[in-house]
Amino acid sequence: MAAEIWNQFWLSLIPGPRAFALFVGASPFLIWAGWVAYQVHFRGDVTPPQQEKLLRPPGYSLQKKFDDLFDSVLLSLLGASVMLLIAAFSAVCAFQFFQAQQHGMNDALRYILCFGALFVISIVPGVALTLKAFRKTKEAQNTRLGLRGEQAVAEALHELADAGYRTFHDLQPDGTWNIDHVIVGTRGVFVIETKTRRRRPPRREQLKHVVEYDGRVLTFPSGDDTNAIPQAERNANWLTDFLAKKTCEAVPVESIVVIPGWYTESKGNYRVKVMNASYLRTYLRKQPEKIDPQQARRIIAALDDKCRTLEF
């Protein structure tokens, strides 16, 4: 009985007239979809209306990373669904042949072993792809949080245009790392590193919305960040050297670490400043004049050339 059901199942998989008619009917749609994909992704002879490249928007690197992670999650879930479906199908078939063997069906054991092997082969990558999707989902959530933090800081910086500042975002020194924001004006050149962090239950006697800063370490209620300050210093040193080569002038660059949504407490007046996005506007507005307007324009021109990399 099981063998007859199995033979009927395989015969049902053979395309009949209806399946062939469905394929013929869907062919125009498939051809149209392929043509659209070719026009959008592969044609290289389409000339954009604007030849000048665009400035990088705030959080551009994180946005690209988030998009890649989102695509990776979708592909992993798709692959996991296919593998787990095959595993479920193999398990059902193996169970059916096991029952058939109990009723004396010949050669059923061979089919049980084949479907059992197919189950193992499909369940392992299915589970692995599922775990990968969960891991990438967590990474995508953290990336989106960082992106929103950079956008919040950019919004605060854009309000400083009336103070004579020009803002640049996502400066790429060599393509492997980036500087979140650079703001330039006669009041100085500032490198801004954004650190966005969720508020978690405190693990020490510290208010849950307060970050303490001792010149080297950012102490959050749920843990420490020892990388933010050295990173901000490295960014400032790189930008100092870059502007000195581009403008042939000494350019002092100051470092600021901005933590959106937190209240910061500094234990001293340190070289690298730490503050939230709200106080950032006040801090930059009260800075004295430090740079000649002509030099500021040369700095802006050098940064504009460096950050204007996006194709239209």
Side-chain angles (χ1 to χ4, degrees):
M1 183 65 181
E4 294 179 1
I5 296 176
W6 182 249
N7 292 332
Q8 291 178 2
F9 171 76
W10 276 112
L11 290 175
S12 66
L13 295 180
I14 301 176
R18 294 180 180 179
F20 180 76
L22 180 62
F23 174 77
V24 173
S27 296
F29 173 77
L30 295 175
I31 294 173
W32 175 79
W35 181 82
V36 170
Y38 169 76
Q39 292 290 325
V40 173
H41 296 286
F42 300 106
R43 283 196 61 181
D45 59 344
V46 178
T47 303
Q50 178 177 318
Q51 299 301 314
E52 184 181 9
K53 294 182 180 180
L54 305 178
L55 288 173
R56 301 174 72 86
Y60 180 73
S61 294
L62 289 179
Q63 183 64 65
K64 288 184 60 179
K65 182 180 179 180
F66 178 80
D67 293 340
D68 293 340
L69 288 170
F70 184 78
D71 292 342
S72 177
V73 169
L74 289 181
L75 291 175
S76 297
L77 289 177
L78 179 61
S81 300
V82 173
M83 291 294 103
L84 294 178
L85 182 62
I86 295 175
F89 171 77
S90 303
V92 171
C93 291
F95 179 73
Q96 289 180 344
F97 278 109
F98 176 77
Q99 287 184 323
Q101 186 188 28
Q102 300 303 314
H103 294 83
M105 178 181 176
N106 296 328
D107 298 329
L109 181 60
R110 182 174 57 185
Y111 291 104
I112 295 174
L113 294 176
C114 291
F115 282 109
L118 181 60
F119 173 81
V120 173
I121 293 173
S122 57
I123 194 66
V124 172
V127 173
L129 288 171
T130 302
L131 295 177
K132 178 182 177 181
F134 282 121
R135 186 176 67 254
K136 293 293 184 179
T137 299
K138 183 64 175 179
E139 188 177 354
Q141 291 175 343
N142 294 333
T143 301
R144 182 172 58 184
L145 179 68
L147 173 62
R148 294 294 180 262
E150 291 194 23
Q151 291 172 341
V153 174
E155 184 175 308
L157 294 176
H158 289 163
E159 297 179 10
L160 295 170
D162 61 339
Y165 285 108
R166 175 74 181 276
T167 305
F168 299 93
H169 306 287
D170 198 52
L171 190 153
Q172 295 274 330
D174 59 5
T176 60
W177 57 285
N178 74 306
I179 298 175
D180 293 340
H181 315 278
V182 178
I183 187 165
V184 183
T186 56
R187 303 168 192 256
V189 180
F190 302 88
V191 166
I192 299 174
E193 180 66 27
T194 302
K195 292 299 177 184
T196 312
R197 190 158 179 162
R198 295 183 178 87
R199 292 184 182 179
R200 303 184 184 278
R203 295 185 296 183
R204 61 188 73 180
E205 293 183 0
Q206 185 177 338
L207 296 176
K208 64 179 182 180
H209 65 283
V210 175
V211 181
E212 298 177 355
Y213 173 48
D214 62 359
R216 299 301 300 175
V217 179
L218 300 177
T219 303
F220 291 85
S222 58
D224 298 336
D225 186 337
T226 59
N227 298 321
I229 305 305
Q231 182 180 1
E233 292 176 336
R234 289 194 300 269
N235 291 347
N237 292 335
W238 180 90
L239 187 59
T240 299
D241 296 337
F242 171 78
L243 293 177
K245 294 176 182 178
K246 287 292 184 179
T247 65
C248 299
E249 298 171 296
V251 180
V253 178
E254 301 181 44
S255 301
I256 303 175
V257 175
V258 179
I259 313 174
W262 291 80
Y263 179 80
T264 61
E265 289 184 353
S266 295
K267 299 180 180 180
N269 186 19
Y270 305 110
R271 177 183 175 185
V272 178
K273 310 300 181 185
V274 177
M275 61 193 71
N276 57 30
S278 300
Y279 183 69
L280 177 63
R281 293 186 290 262
T282 302
Y283 177 80
L284 292 175
R285 285 184 183 277
K286 70 180 184 180
Q287 295 300 306
E289 299 285 334
K290 303 173 185 176
I291 299 177
D292 179 82
Q294 297 293 333
Q295 184 182 10
R297 281 193 285 270
R298 289 190 288 271
I299 295 172
I300 290 173
L303 289 173
D304 187 276
D305 181 69
K306 182 67 175 176
C307 295
R308 194 174 293 276
T309 61
L310 296 185
E311 299 288 346
F312 188 84

